[in-house]
Amino acid sequence: QIQADDDNDDHGNIDPDSDKSSSEGEADAPWEESASPKVLFSAVYCCYNVVKTAARDQGWQVVDQEEDNVRCDIHWVDAGPVVFRKIKQFMRVNHFPGVRRGLASKAGLAQTLRGAAASHEFMIPETWVLPDELSDLESQFCEGYSADILICKPSTGSRGSGIIITSDWNAIRKMQKRRAAKHKKTVVQRYISSPALLDGRKFDLRLYLLLGAVHEAQTGAVCLRGFLFRDGLVRLCTVPYSELIEETATDRCMHLTNYSINKNNDRFQHSPNAADAGVGDKRSVAWFMQHFRDQNGEMEADRLWKRLCELCAGILEAAEPRLLAEFDSFYHRKGSGE
């Protein structure tokens, strides 16, 4: 099922609810004198204390005053105005232009995945983006009901909020009207009723892909580069999976892997310590790959990892035209050597 990085409810084993920034006591003094100048890290639009802590651990100086942005080397933006036009050549920003629309929203990701699936033979469930494809979706219903169970998600929601699983057209239409009134989109997919299971429960893999670019000064070309981290998170549901019928469709802890939902279930198991990444309801991808290797052999494990790499590469390839067009609109100056 489609998920995008605005499903941002995992920061290692840290509860994001406790990591929201406050407006007091978060920034270092803006211009500390030092024998060796520090890297200046702008946290003006950073929402998470854990990011600021990581910056300080690197020895960087965290600032949070808007007027100081012009001198910061690194800009971290979780929420706020578009900053790309203000970025200078020496600066770095944590978002790539176009990523939010093309990859980080579920509606944008759905369109990108269609392009990737067509050229790379990826399997994705049939998907509709509302309101654009509302009439096509409605044609799938007979007397107000669909033969298949559908999962409906707000395009820009997070932490499992607003998700429904249903075959009732009225429920979907009601959700869509509520979203459309706020000029927001909804993504609907055929629900995968026979998913792969881990310990009898649904799970997902959260992979971390770093997207960057190399600007070739001689040709003016911008070449995307993707770096896939060899670890990540495995999120498990807390309720064992059973046959999907209308009566079980409302059990969110059976169908949704979001940590923000499952952590409130009495069955949720925390890992006893950070070193034991194979225990509990949030595990590591490194553990999962070793578990898969033990169950299926070295060849199949290598094949799976290669397929995951191909999936990431295929998505970036499908998103590349849009990303480069937006990059060019913000930064590229032909013939200027910038």
Side-chain angles (χ1 to χ4, degrees):
Q1 311 295 155
I2 286 181
Q3 293 193 347
D5 77 355
D6 58 327
D7 285 332
N8 196 15
D9 65 352
D10 289 303
H11 302 273
N13 282 321
I14 299 173
D15 181 352
D17 293 338
S18 64
D19 284 321
K20 286 288 185 181
S21 295
S22 63
S23 58
E24 299 180 358
E26 297 303 331
D28 302 326
W31 311 122
E32 294 179 357
E33 296 295 333
S34 174
S36 57
K38 288 187 176 182
V39 170
L40 299 179
F41 182 91
S42 171
V44 175
Y45 302 113
C46 175
C47 294
Y48 298 97
N49 287 337
V50 66
V51 175
K52 298 178 185 180
T53 299
R56 291 192 182 95
D57 288 346
Q58 294 295 316
W60 299 344
Q61 186 170 325
V62 175
V63 298
D64 67 354
Q65 299 300 317
E66 178 95 41
E67 58 269 24
D68 298 333
N69 263 350
V70 295
R71 295 187 58 183
C72 287
D73 305 283
I74 299 173
H75 295 252
W76 191 281
V77 182
D78 291 312
V82 175
V83 300
F84 297 118
R85 294 194 186 280
K86 299 179 181 179
I87 296 297
K88 302 183 184 301
Q89 191 170 7
F90 72 90
M91 297 175 176
R92 298 293 182 267
V93 63
N94 68 311
H95 284 296
F96 201 95
V99 165
R100 286 184 182 270
R101 282 192 290 272
L103 294 173
S105 73
K106 297 178 186 69
L109 181 59
Q111 294 165 347
T112 300
L113 279 172
R114 286 170 180 166
S119 56
H120 291 272
E121 298 182 351
F122 297 144
M123 191 285 291
I124 63 171
E126 193 170 6
T127 304
W128 297 266
V129 176
L130 309 183
D132 305 352
E133 299 163 340
L134 186 63
S135 59
D136 184 45
L137 175 60
E138 187 174 9
S139 69
Q140 308 296 315
F141 288 77
C142 178
E143 297 183 355
Y145 287 89
S146 167
D148 298 306
I149 300 289
L150 303 171
I151 182 168
C152 314
K153 298 184 177 185
S155 177
T156 54
S158 63
R159 304 182 185 181
S161 62
I163 296 177
I164 62 172
I165 300 173
T166 185
S167 61
D168 184 350
W169 171 247
N170 287 330
I172 296 173
R173 190 75 173 101
K174 182 178 179 181
M175 175 184 180
Q176 188 275 324
K177 284 183 176 180
R178 187 170 60 250
R179 298 281 300 169
K182 300 178 181 179
H183 305 287
K184 296 181 180 295
K185 295 188 176 183
T186 303
V187 174
V188 180
Q189 291 181 291
R190 292 197 188 280
Y191 188 80
I192 298 176
S193 58
S194 55
L197 302 177
L198 182 61
D199 295 344
R201 295 174 286 162
K202 280 189 64 176
F203 69 99
D204 69 9
L205 304 181
R206 171 157 286 201
L207 304 179
Y208 292 88
L209 180 70
L210 176 64
L211 175 62
V214 176
H215 183 208
E216 297 180 356
Q218 291 182 342
T219 63
V222 177
C223 300
L224 294 184
R225 295 288 186 269
F227 302 88
L228 181 61
F229 187 42
R230 287 189 173 272
D231 207 346
L233 292 175
V234 183
R235 304 183 303 179
L236 287 83
C237 288
T238 46
V239 174
Y241 188 79
S242 63
E243 180 184 2
L244 179 61
I245 56 177
E246 196 71 32
E247 288 72 22
T248 62
T250 57
D251 192 337
R252 295 164 66 80
C253 291
M254 178 188 294
H255 300 290
L256 305 181
T257 57
N258 303 73
Y259 168 70
S260 293
I261 291 174
N262 285 280
K263 70 177 183 179
N264 297 316
N265 191 311
D266 292 340
R267 301 187 185 192
F268 186 84
Q269 295 183 355
H270 291 274
S271 300
N273 57 72
D276 194 349
V279 177
D281 293 327
K282 191 192 290 187
R283 307 179 189 180
S284 75
V285 167
W287 169 85
F288 174 80
M289 290 305 302
Q290 184 58 54
H291 174 76
F292 188 89
R293 185 174 290 107
D294 294 341
Q295 296 291 318
N296 301 280
E298 190 78 27
M299 185 177 298
E300 285 300 307
D302 290 345
R303 181 173 174 269
L304 173 60
W305 185 254
K306 181 181 178 182
R307 192 61 172 160
L308 292 173
C309 292
E310 290 173 347
L311 173 64
C312 294
I315 291 173
L316 288 186
E317 181 182 323
E320 185 176 31
R322 182 173 193 169
L323 296 178
L324 294 185
E326 295 216 24
F327 183 93
D328 186 74
S329 71
F330 281 113
Y331 299 127
H332 194 47
R333 303 291 183 271
K334 293 183 178 179
S336 68
E338 294 183 4

